Amino acid sequence: MSTAAIKTARRVFEVLEYFDEVKRPLTLREVSAHFGYPVSSTAALLKSLLQLGYVDFNRPTRTYMPTMRVAMLGDWIQASLFGEGRILRLMQYLNEMTGEMVSLGTQSDIYMQYVHVLYSREGLQYRVRPGTVRSMTRSGYGWLLLSAMPDAEIDKVLRRVNIEEDDPARRMTLEELMVPVTEVRQLGHVYSRHTVTQGAGVIGMLLPPQSYGRRFTVGVGGPVDRLEEKHDMILALLREAIPRFLPG
């Protein structure tokens, strides 16, 4: 695929994600100014989306708005990925009971990716956007996902991660990686502290395999000092709620 094609595809999704972020109609100039795109390029992009039926144009207000066609594109995904809403209800329950951020992660090639997040109600909080990726070998959720794989598969993932790693000092051996992975296997959960962000952590578990065999992690994240205080309560909630909301 050419660089120009990749650039165009990226812009399409950036614009649609911006609509999701602001949750209101936008003018051509608002979109152009937000991303720093040339007005002419933005106009061509929005015109294409309009012709394809993915946005509407309100002439009196000169604004664009996504159509139901965009919403329907992902209509099947919730049932496929989120167990017909059961995972979302699990996350809402954990969020309400702990008051902390609850996130859902899965593997995306050699990365762990956050696919859904419910934010904390606390004043001091760490926020991560859905779509954010982390290293499979250097994150708590990554260790959880790796823990469900055979050791030979873990070795394959690590080799690919090391090839992509520009800094030789950050390349790991299999023996180094298996230390946290083995701990996760023994405990049945992960308690990651200061691993990706200093001062932040997550307590999480693997969910039972979902549609198409995909594995997900769910966990409660926040400042380490609050996780320390709530550690036993969070673990008890995870152990009780996962089989209740997602019975085998």
Side-chain angles (χ1 to χ4, degrees):
M1 183 180 291
S2 69
T3 302
I6 294 172
K7 182 178 179 181
T8 299
R10 184 181 69 245
R11 286 185 173 183
V12 167
F13 288 107
E14 285 176 343
V15 168
L16 293 176
E17 287 177 349
Y18 186 44
F19 275 112
D20 184 59
E21 180 181 331
V22 300
K23 295 179 173 56
R24 62 175 176 83
L26 293 166
T27 65
L28 164 64
R29 292 198 174 276
E30 283 180 313
V31 176
S32 174
H34 178 76
F35 292 106
Y37 300 161
V39 173
S40 58
S41 300
T42 308
L45 178 62
L46 291 171
K47 183 178 179 180
S48 296
L49 290 172
L50 179 65
Q51 292 174 340
L52 292 169
Y54 291 108
V55 299
D56 283 332
F57 180 63
N58 186 312
R59 190 165 296 278
T61 62
R62 311 291 295 177
T63 57
Y64 294 84
M65 181 74 173
T67 66
M68 282 301 298
R69 187 172 185 184
V70 174
M72 292 177 67
L73 277 176
D75 191 53
W76 63 277
I77 295 176
Q78 177 165 314
S80 176
L81 296 186
F82 299 138
E84 298 178 343
R86 293 189 298 272
I87 294 179
L88 295 182
R89 290 194 291 274
L90 167 65
M91 293 180 68
Q92 289 164 355
Y93 173 74
L94 294 172
N95 180 250
E96 290 169 3
M97 295 298 291
T98 66
E100 301 292 351
M101 181 183 77
V102 176
S103 56
L104 185 74
T106 193
Q107 183 178 2
S108 178
D109 195 28
I110 60 172
Y111 301 98
M112 186 291 297
Q113 183 174 48
Y114 291 98
V115 293
H116 193 58
V117 181
L118 299 177
Y119 295 114
S120 169
R121 299 186 297 273
E122 300 285 348
L124 175 62
Q125 58 179 285
Y126 293 93
R127 297 173 71 90
V128 59
R129 290 188 61 181
T132 299
V133 295
R134 300 284 190 234
S135 169
M136 279 283 285
T137 60
R138 293 184 177 275
S139 65
Y141 276 1
W143 300 333
L144 274 173
L145 292 164
L146 290 171
S147 73
M149 300 179 188
D151 291 0
E153 187 65 25
I154 295 174
D155 187 37
K156 290 179 182 178
V157 172
L158 177 60
R159 289 175 185 271
R160 293 184 60 205
V161 170
N162 282 340
I163 289 171
E164 295 292 324
E165 180 55 68
D166 295 328
D167 183 359
R170 288 182 57 82
R171 294 172 189 156
M172 302 178 69
T173 66
L174 182 60
E175 291 73 20
E176 289 172 328
L177 177 58
M178 291 306 295
V179 172
V181 171
T182 300
E183 181 177 289
V184 168
R185 286 173 172 171
Q186 292 172 344
L187 297 176
H189 70 272
V190 71
Y191 183 17
S192 172
R193 289 154 286 185
H194 316 291
T195 307
V196 176
T197 302
Q198 186 65 29
V202 66
I203 301 172
M205 289 184 176
L206 274 174
L207 296 183
Q210 300 301 304
S211 300
Y212 309 108
R214 293 197 74 184
R215 299 304 302 253
F216 291 91
T217 62
V218 70
V220 178
V224 170
D225 57 350
R226 290 210 303 263
L227 292 184
E228 290 283 353
E229 294 174 3
K230 301 178 182 180
H231 175 271
D232 292 348
M233 180 263 284
I234 290 171
L235 265 184
L237 282 170
L238 288 167
R239 288 169 175 158
E240 174 271 328
I242 290 174
R244 178 157 61 89
F245 282 86
L246 299 166

